[in-house]
Amino acid sequence: MNTPESLWRQISLGSASKISDAIEILNKTGLKIVLIVDENGYLSGTITDGDIRKGLLKGVRITDSVEKIYHREALVVPPAMKRETVLQLMLANKIQQIPIVDEKKKILGVHFWDEINTANLRSNLMIIMAGGQGTRLRPATNDLPKPMLQVAGKPILEHIIEKARSDGFRNFVISIYYLGTVIEEYFRDGSKFGVKIQYLKESSPLGTAGALSLFESPPEEDFIVTNGDVITEISYGQLIDYHRLHDAIGTMAVRLHEIQNPFGTVQTDGLYITGYEEKPISHSTINAGVYAFNPAALNTLSINEACDMPTLFERLRRQSLATIVYPIHEQWTDIGRSLDLQKANSIPHLNPSSGING
């Protein structure tokens, strides 16, 4: 796809911009690339999801300059290159976007994989943990399981399934316990939604990982697990590709979380003041509730034994098996409280009538 100028300018930034500006463009456009250009429209480099993830793993902050992460030797193609050759370059270099430039590296457009090649279907299972009781959302969850609460006119679960389906997933397993029949009656076998759905039925609460012990036959290939109350724009397909690339047994999607202290903090040594910081911001990495696993990870579970995801990862780690993180910057909402549900109903791409941008 040779993008019109109006589009590629929407995904362009100057080299003095912040990484947060690049993240905003990636989230807003969904095009998975940002062009770093000079004032005359000449290409200096590119930023992709992968560049941001690598930067976050190295400790780069989103308030830092894009100079710290952008790729200065980006692969580019001339406008006359044939479609078949562009596809071969994308496959050989494992990329999904290639800028189109003239002989002086002035931007003319961008080729996107999704536009010149149909999406691959994935045989991998997508497992959705939907058995929780949602006590913090009562009374809304008195008669509905939390994953069936409405966001922009659809159950949370339906948004998750639609997003995974757009990433090529067709095979789903939903773990149910609390008011599980409501979920079964709505989704049935999934055919109405263009997918295949099966169910794991908990006889008692098994935590965020324990239901994985209920498979009669374990999955034959790597699979995705997500909490049934997480709405996100991450690519589940890219997550499982990343997981495979690093030959991990378990991969956890994680997100940078910032908390600002409302007070100035004082550093002391006995009676003496050694320093002062006004309203400092602390950073931490949080579990985003989305995972990829090798089937061998299930060997650490006992049938019908309650187990949470942190415990499962700790068991794998103690066996010296590769457990890794997948840093995300994409839109992500964990719906645990009424305020979170209100926030989810204001996500622009789910509810354009909300009138809220960002």
Side-chain angles (χ1 to χ4, degrees):
M1 175 185 180
N2 191 335
T3 52
E5 182 174 351
S6 60
L7 179 56
W8 68 252
R9 286 197 180 278
Q10 292 179 33
I11 60 173
S12 299
L13 286 175
S15 59
S17 302
K18 296 179 180 179
I19 295 172
S20 58
D21 298 324
I23 290 174
E24 182 178 357
I25 288 176
L26 291 170
N27 290 343
K28 186 175 181 179
T29 66
L31 295 178
K32 302 177 183 177
I33 191 172
V34 174
L35 307 177
I36 306 301
V37 299
D38 66 16
E39 62 275 10
N40 297 313
Y42 292 94
L43 183 70
S44 300
T46 60
I47 296 175
T48 64
D49 285 339
D51 295 320
I52 291 176
R53 293 186 216 287
K54 290 174 185 175
L56 292 174
L57 286 171
K58 292 178 180 178
V60 173
R61 301 298 184 192
I62 62 173
T63 52
D64 291 340
S65 168
V66 294
E67 289 273 359
K68 289 192 174 183
I69 64 167
Y70 83 77
H71 187 49
R72 290 166 172 77
E73 301 297 327
L75 180 65
V76 297
V77 296
M81 183 171 287
K82 294 182 179 180
R83 171 183 174 276
E84 292 77 13
T85 307
V86 173
L87 279 172
Q88 289 174 4
L89 280 173
M90 287 181 165
L91 284 169
N93 291 277
K94 298 180 180 179
I95 56 176
Q96 298 185 30
Q97 317 86 7
I98 299 184
I100 306 164
V101 300
D102 64 15
E103 65 278 3
K104 295 182 179 179
K105 293 194 74 175
K106 187 166 187 176
I107 287 285
L108 302 176
V110 183
H111 285 301
F112 293 99
W113 175 268
D114 290 343
E115 296 292 335
I116 59 177
N117 190 63
T118 55
N120 291 326
L121 295 181
R122 294 178 179 269
S123 58
N124 310 82
L125 274 182
M126 173 86 171
I127 302 169
I128 307 174
M129 300 305 216
Q133 299 184 42
T135 54
R136 290 181 296 166
L137 279 161
R138 288 179 179 168
T141 52
N142 283 343
D143 302 311
L144 276 179
K146 180 167 61 170
M148 292 301 290
L149 294 177
Q150 297 272 308
V151 169
K154 296 179 184 178
I156 297 168
L157 266 179
E158 190 169 346
H159 287 290
I160 295 172
I161 290 171
E162 285 182 348
K163 177 63 176 69
R165 189 182 187 281
S166 73
D167 288 340
F169 291 83
R170 295 294 184 272
N171 300 307
F172 292 79
V173 173
I174 303 177
S175 167
I176 56 177
Y177 172 64
Y178 177 69
L179 299 177
T181 55
V182 176
I183 294 172
E184 279 192 280
E185 290 173 0
Y186 186 88
F187 289 101
R188 298 188 182 275
D189 65 358
S191 56
K192 178 182 176 182
F193 303 91
V195 298
K196 180 180 178 182
I197 298 177
Q198 296 177 304
Y199 298 90
L200 294 175
K201 300 180 181 181
E202 302 175 43
S203 57
S204 60
L206 296 179
T208 54
L212 298 176
S213 70
L214 301 179
F215 278 104
E216 292 184 4
S217 299
E220 295 181 355
E221 55 186 332
D222 293 353
F223 57 92
I224 295 287
V225 179
T226 182
N227 292 348
D229 57 0
V230 170
I231 292 180
T232 180
E233 278 299 294
I234 71 171
S235 168
Y236 299 114
Q238 287 185 15
L239 168 57
I240 208 162
D241 290 342
Y242 176 94
H243 166 80
R244 287 169 167 170
L245 177 66
H246 292 278
D247 198 24
I249 193 163
T251 299
M252 178 187 294
V254 298
R255 185 175 177 85
L256 181 66
H257 185 61
E258 297 183 347
I259 300 177
Q260 184 167 27
N261 192 322
F263 306 102
T265 62
V266 181
Q267 291 84 46
T268 62
D269 182 5
L271 297 175
Y272 298 96
I273 296 174
T274 59
Y276 183 87
E277 188 173 4
E278 181 63 32
K279 298 179 181 178
I281 297 174
S282 60
H283 301 86
S284 57
T285 301
I286 63 170
N287 179 359
V290 185
Y291 318 89
F293 287 105
N294 180 289
L298 303 185
N299 296 335
T300 63
L301 298 173
S302 298
I303 296 175
N304 269 319
E305 175 193 43
C307 181
D308 286 322
M309 280 296 178
T311 300
L312 174 55
F313 272 85
E314 180 60 16
R315 289 176 183 176
L316 297 171
R317 189 188 67 80
R318 287 180 177 177
Q319 294 180 24
S320 299
L321 299 171
T323 54
I324 64 173
V325 296
Y326 178 75
I328 68 170
H329 59 80
E330 295 87 346
Q331 176 274 319
W332 174 86
T333 304
D334 175 83
I335 303 171
R337 304 162 299 165
S338 296
L339 186 63
D340 301 321
L341 190 60
Q342 294 173 22
K343 179 181 176 183
N345 272 291
S346 298
I347 298 173
H349 74 271
L350 297 182
N351 190 5
S353 63
S354 67
I356 297 176
N357 296 320

